[in-house]
Amino acid sequence: MKKLFFLSIIFLITNYSIASARQIRRQGNTGELIAGPVNPSQQKKWLDTLKQWRINERKKLHFNDKEYRKPGLSWIKSTYIYAQMMAHDRYFYDPVKGKYTVDRYLNDLEKRYGGLDAVLIWPTYPNIGVDNRNQFDLVADMPGGKEAVKQMIRDFHKRVVRVFFPIMIWDHGTRKHKLSIPKTITKEMKELGADGLNGDTMNGVTKDFLDAYTENNYPLALQPEVNLSDLKMLQWNLCSWGYYFPDWGVLKYNHIPGVSLYKWLEPRHQVFITDRWAINKTENLQYAFFNGIGYNSWENIWSIWNQVPDRYAEAIRRIRMIYQQFPEVWNSPAWQPHFPVVQEGVYASKFPGLKTTVYTFVNRDGTDKTGVQISLPYKKGVNYYDIWNGVALHPEKNGDEISLSFSIEANGFGAIAERGSHLYPADFMLFLTQMNKWAETPLNSLPESWKPISQHLVEIPETKSPAKTPDGMILIPAAYKFNFETHGVMIEGDELPDAVGVQYPWEKHPQRDHTEPLAIKSFYIDKYPVTNKQYKAFMDAAHYKPKDRHNFLRDWKNGTYPAGWENKPVTWVSLEDARAYAAWAGKRLPHEWEWQYAAQGTDGRLYPWGQKRDTTLIPPADTTRRMREPTDVNAYPAGASPFGVVDMTANVWQWTDEYIDDHTRSAVLKGGSYYHPQTSHWYFPQAQEVNKQAKYLLMSPGMDRAGTIGFRCVVDR
């Protein structure tokens, strides 16, 4: 009889577990959310199901929380606002002074939305693949080398900001490195003193990274870009991004907030909601506040500036202030999402702590909510505070319950703190005073408008007109109506079409595709790209020594080029190095439209020789990881343009114009190159058709120089 009884109990538990698992409705394009209860009356049953699922799932996974308990990683759970940023951002690095400006970068963010707790520094994509430098080479090429990077990280640490770097797990087409990616990058992070790694495109940072940092005795916060393909990885992926919109391409959140599956399973796991192209941040921030999780305030997206509008910036400031004031509650295992509330369209979560319990509220409706918001059991000696508005609340007692009344803006936020009647520390009272002051300005009174950041073209001064055609140059006749049509090959950015690309002087905003009839004066252009021999003559005559010499003429030895390279295009020269040569020679670099007109003529052809690609007229592609040297500039004379200009495409990229906005410098490269790294479509894209352009991000001469970028010059007639 006993045996039958126990079998019955096991049967019931097993079937309850199966039912619980089936009742967990996952939400979002990668299933990182658990759908909330459809009806408030189902909340208790729904929450019981979630609790049972968590118990079952942790048992099934044999969940080990060893990494969460490591003192060296305890900072993660109190890291709330995080930003991915470009290393090329001019607020972060001053190219004129040649130094990192961490304070300027952080001061700007503190002024606009209260600051950061962590930063992801991105020095690689989208430039990686322009030559065969791998992800580790590009970090080493950052201005000042690794010693300067170490100091830059220390500067962040002085401001209590943790530093992440990316893992380019797909980088298997550039220069080989001796060790595996996990071993190489964890060793590099220890050397630099960084704190974490973001796994670009990774569905969970795999265990070999945990093993590698354990071997190095240097724990790192591992953070995948995408969802965890196996929940077991939650044991060492202590933080993650939250791509929470329901379907790819349909950027719409559910009205009833979903619950972070990862945080529910492990409350110490930190999520940073990420929706980089969104302009309206309401959905992101409400889902974050409801779940007590972080936010990725990503604004510089591969040099496309998507600034957080004032309304959402102020919301971030206030949310972060509340998070920081009560750090002990957000990782509570007793967290109760979808805590019962009074008003329709309002959703709440309860975060119990030892001394304080915090309730967060989000108003999902477009109307203000006033009056009673929540009813709670009466507790003697407990005080309540509207911490969003910074005022004490006066509960209305009704039997064994109290009611709390306060207002929540349309599509806004609310929060209350439940505390004992003991004296409160001074910092709590200062916190209330600050929140009260901010509350005088309703979020909905602040602008939510967005506009693209404006760029300007760096001026190229005209040259003196020569008496005759200069040696080695070709006269390009004037064009009274050249149909200048060019298309950017940038991989991403279609979500913000008014911000991706470059902005010509006649345009209102940056864009990817450009068409404009132009009148072009006649000019002379070099028949071939500048060669090593020609650049050596400049070096001998001008004794040119760039201030930043890193990677300068990297292929040269003892002040000269290798034997047999005299007619190869000079490479490993920055935009500044090319301009220095041009000025010495009485020339200048071409504007993009001049380069394209000289390559294309007036019939709109795609290649210098005509409409169809012909591989017999260009150097062969190099798809190896070693990257051979360029081809001689005169090796393919049959590939000349209608004007007789040679080597315009598929040998080396060629410098043309530079564009600047408040945050980014970039150059337009034309002509494509012979080097085509394989294994990933994320590498720097080719643009061998003459009506295409590549946008190359600029940081410092040493980082900008590449083994596949050269130049040619023009002279005004």
Side-chain angles (χ1 to χ4, degrees):
M1 191 71 179
K2 277 185 177 181
K3 183 177 180 182
L4 181 61
F5 174 78
F6 283 119
L7 285 173
S8 300
I9 293 295
I10 291 169
F11 175 81
L12 287 171
I13 291 173
T14 302
N15 279 273
Y16 183 83
S17 300
I18 293 170
S20 297
R22 285 175 179 169
Q23 288 170 25
I24 295 291
R25 294 185 297 114
R26 294 178 72 166
Q27 195 180 83
N29 59 18
T30 50
E32 295 178 69
L33 288 169
I34 300 169
V38 176
N39 191 308
S41 64
Q42 301 172 343
Q43 192 271 344
K44 186 180 184 304
K45 181 180 179 183
W46 171 85
L47 186 60
D48 288 344
T49 301
L50 259 63
K51 290 177 179 178
Q52 186 62 46
W53 174 83
R54 179 165 60 191
I55 293 169
N56 297 341
E57 196 68 25
R58 288 176 72 98
K59 283 182 180 179
K60 184 176 75 175
L61 295 170
H62 302 287
F63 198 86
N64 186 334
D65 69 349
K66 177 182 176 183
E67 299 307 306
Y68 289 92
R69 290 185 282 107
K70 280 187 175 177
L73 294 172
S74 62
W75 55 269
I76 296 170
K77 62 186 180 183
S78 57
T79 301
Y80 310 116
I81 306 302
Y82 159 109
Q84 176 164 339
M85 52 88 78
M86 297 302 295
H88 310 75
D89 197 305
R90 295 173 65 209
Y91 274 61
F92 170 67
Y93 180 77
D94 186 331
V96 177
K97 295 180 180 179
K99 67 176 186 179
Y100 295 98
T101 52
V102 170
D103 284 337
R104 184 189 183 211
Y105 173 75
L106 291 177
N107 289 344
D108 172 60
L109 302 187
E110 284 193 1
K111 180 180 178 182
R112 291 193 289 114
Y113 55 76
L116 291 179
D117 302 304
V119 63
L120 169 56
I121 299 173
W122 203 272
T124 46
Y125 175 85
N127 281 1
I128 188 171
V130 73
D131 57 20
N132 76 329
R133 285 175 293 171
N134 61 38
Q135 58 188 302
F136 309 109
D137 296 326
L138 290 172
V139 172
D141 282 346
M142 290 177 69
K146 288 189 174 180
E147 289 306 311
V149 173
K150 291 178 189 177
Q151 182 57 53
M152 172 264 289
I153 292 172
R154 288 194 290 268
D155 290 343
F156 273 113
H157 288 167
K158 287 176 187 175
R159 300 284 293 268
V160 199
V161 176
R162 298 288 179 162
V163 177
F164 287 69
F165 278 85
I167 307 165
M168 304 285 105
I169 198 66
W170 43 266
D171 181 23
H172 297 289
T174 56
R175 188 182 71 85
K176 288 184 178 180
H177 33 87
K178 293 180 181 179
L179 301 176
S180 66
I181 289 179
K183 289 186 176 182
T184 305
I185 202 165
T186 53
K187 182 180 177 182
E188 179 186 56
M189 293 300 103
K190 182 176 182 179
E191 179 186 1
L192 296 177
D195 305 288
L197 290 168
N198 173 270
D200 184 45
T201 73
M202 295 180 74
N203 292 92
V205 180
T206 47
K207 189 174 180 295
D208 44 1
F209 287 88
L210 166 66
D211 295 339
Y213 81 57
T214 302
E215 182 181 336
N216 279 318
N217 193 28
Y218 189 75
L220 289 162
L222 301 180
Q223 173 196 73
E225 179 192 357
V226 201
N227 64 311
L228 300 175
S229 59
D230 184 347
L231 285 178
K232 193 172 184 67
M233 289 191 281
L234 190 67
Q235 295 173 99
W236 59 86
N237 285 253
L238 273 59
C239 48
S240 62
W241 284 5
Y243 283 141
Y244 280 174
F245 35 85
D247 299 294
W248 291 113
V250 184
L251 305 184
K252 184 178 179 182
Y253 286 71
N254 286 30
H255 183 77
I256 300 172
V259 174
S260 169
L261 185 143
Y262 303 151
K263 179 169 179 173
W264 180 253
L265 191 56
E266 172 46 73
R268 288 164 292 182
H269 180 88
Q270 183 60 293
V271 181
F272 303 98
I273 289 186
T274 302
D275 194 354
R276 58 192 173 189
W277 301 113
I279 293 172
N280 184 324
K281 316 290 186 183
T282 300
E283 305 278 17
N284 308 156
L285 295 173
Q286 286 195 336
Y287 265 58
F289 200 50
F290 175 82
N291 283 278
I293 57 180
Y295 179 67
N296 180 0
S297 56
W298 189 353
E299 295 180 294
N300 195 332
I301 312 167
W302 329 129
S303 85
I304 302 165
W305 186 250
N306 186 18
Q307 182 165 318
V308 177
D310 292 352
R311 180 180 300 181
Y312 314 116
E314 186 59 27
I316 293 170
R317 185 195 312 279
R318 299 180 194 184
I319 289 170
R320 182 171 184 254
M321 186 78 162
I322 291 171
Y323 280 170
Q324 290 179 319
Q325 185 64 31
F326 308 100
E328 77 280 1
V329 308
W330 311 111
N331 309 111
S332 170
W335 167 40
Q336 292 184 48
H338 286 284
F339 192 84
V341 295
V342 172
Q343 303 210 31
E344 188 176 352
V346 175
Y347 300 89
S349 279
K350 177 181 179 181
F351 296 92
L354 292 176
K355 295 181 179 180
T356 305
T357 293
V358 175
Y359 300 80
T360 64
F361 299 79
V362 294
N363 179 3
R364 303 288 288 157
D365 286 349
T367 56
D368 294 346
K369 303 290 183 177
T370 58
V372 176
Q373 303 288 354
I374 192 170
S375 295
L376 298 171
Y378 169 73
K379 296 179 184 177
K380 186 177 181 179
V382 172
N383 294 332
Y384 296 88
Y385 297 87
D386 176 351
I387 55 177
W388 187 267
N389 293 299
V391 295
L393 291 174
H394 304 287
E396 182 179 333
K397 189 172 183 296
N398 188 4
D400 292 334
E401 286 194 340
I402 60 162
S403 298
L404 297 175
S405 298
F406 52 94
S407 60
I408 309 176
E409 281 186 82
N411 299 123
F413 307 83
I416 60 174
E418 177 184 290
R419 298 174 66 103
S421 58
H422 51 75
L423 292 175
Y424 302 122
D427 71 310
F428 178 69
M429 303 313 294
L430 289 172
F431 159 75
L432 284 180
T433 300
Q434 182 61 75
M435 293 300 295
N436 182 257
K437 183 178 179 181
W438 285 339
E440 292 175 2
T441 305
L443 291 181
N444 288 336
S445 71
L446 297 171
E448 59 178 341
S449 58
W450 175 93
K451 63 179 180 180
I453 193 169
S454 182
Q455 297 178 7
H456 73 267
L457 172 68
V458 173
E459 183 182 357
I460 303 178
E462 291 188 359
T463 66
K464 291 183 179 180
S465 178
K468 61 178 183 177
T469 302
D471 291 342
M473 302 192 84
I474 291 176
L475 174 64
I476 307 298
Y480 297 104
K481 193 176 181 181
F482 172 61
N483 185 34
F484 176 54
E485 181 179 337
T486 185
H487 308 280
V489 296
M490 295 73 72
I491 296 173
E492 299 184 71
D494 286 343
E495 294 85 349
L496 290 178
D498 293 347
V500 62
V502 296
Q503 179 181 356
Y504 295 124
W506 54 84
E507 293 174 332
K508 293 182 179 179
H509 55 75
Q511 55 199 64
R512 182 191 295 271
D513 301 314
H514 316 263
T515 301
E516 184 75 11
L518 296 178
I520 299 179
K521 297 177 182 178
S522 64
F523 60 93
Y524 301 98
I525 191 167
D526 288 337
K527 182 175 182 179
Y528 305 108
V530 173
T531 64
N532 286 299
K533 181 179 179 180
Q534 290 171 313
Y535 207 85
K536 178 69 164 61
F538 157 62
M539 292 289 292
D540 292 343
H543 305 291
Y544 173 66
K545 292 182 180 179
K547 183 178 179 180
D548 179 352
R549 303 202 70 180
H550 182 64
N551 281 333
F552 179 55
L553 299 174
R554 182 165 141 176
D555 285 329
W556 291 26
K557 303 295 181 186
N558 301 318
T560 191
Y561 49 83
W565 282 38
E566 59 272 9
N567 285 326
K568 296 185 184 301
V570 66
T571 56
W572 295 109
V573 288
S574 68
L575 189 57
E576 294 82 359
D577 302 330
R579 287 170 176 163
Y581 171 92
W584 168 80
K587 303 178 181 181
R588 62 174 174 84
L589 296 185
H591 286 297
E592 180 192 357
W593 48 87
E594 291 174 324
W595 187 100
Q596 184 165 321
Y597 174 43
Q600 188 178 46
T602 58
D603 60 7
R605 61 184 62 190
L606 297 180
Y607 300 95
W609 56 84
Q611 285 289 358
K612 293 184 178 180
R613 179 176 172 82
D614 187 340
T615 57
T616 67
L617 302 179
I618 56 175
D622 180 0
T623 59
T624 71
R625 302 187 72 171
R626 293 180 60 86
M627 194 178 79
R628 62 167 172 80
E629 70 276 6
T631 302
D632 285 2
V633 297
N634 56 359
Y636 293 90
S641 79
F643 300 113
V645 188
V646 179
D647 208 31
M648 295 293 275
T649 184
N651 194 10
V652 295
W653 292 98
Q654 295 168 41
W655 293 112
T656 63
D657 285 309
E658 178 184 1
Y659 291 86
I660 294 180
D661 62 37
D662 285 347
H663 288 270
T664 307
R665 296 168 55 235
S666 61
V668 169
L669 303 182
K670 296 289 278 189
S673 79
Y674 66 92
Y675 179 62
H676 300 194
Q678 302 297 295
T679 75
S680 176
H681 71 279
W682 298 113
Y683 286 124
F684 194 74
Q686 283 293 325
Q688 293 184 350
E689 297 89 344
V690 297
N691 69 340
K692 290 184 178 178
Q693 54 158 243
K695 181 179 178 180
Y696 185 68
L697 305 189
L698 301 175
M699 185 174 185
S700 67
M703 194 168 183
D704 303 341
R705 295 180 181 113
T708 57
I709 303 178
F711 68 102
R712 69 195 329 133
C713 299
V714 301
V715 171
D716 294 291
R717 189 182 182 197

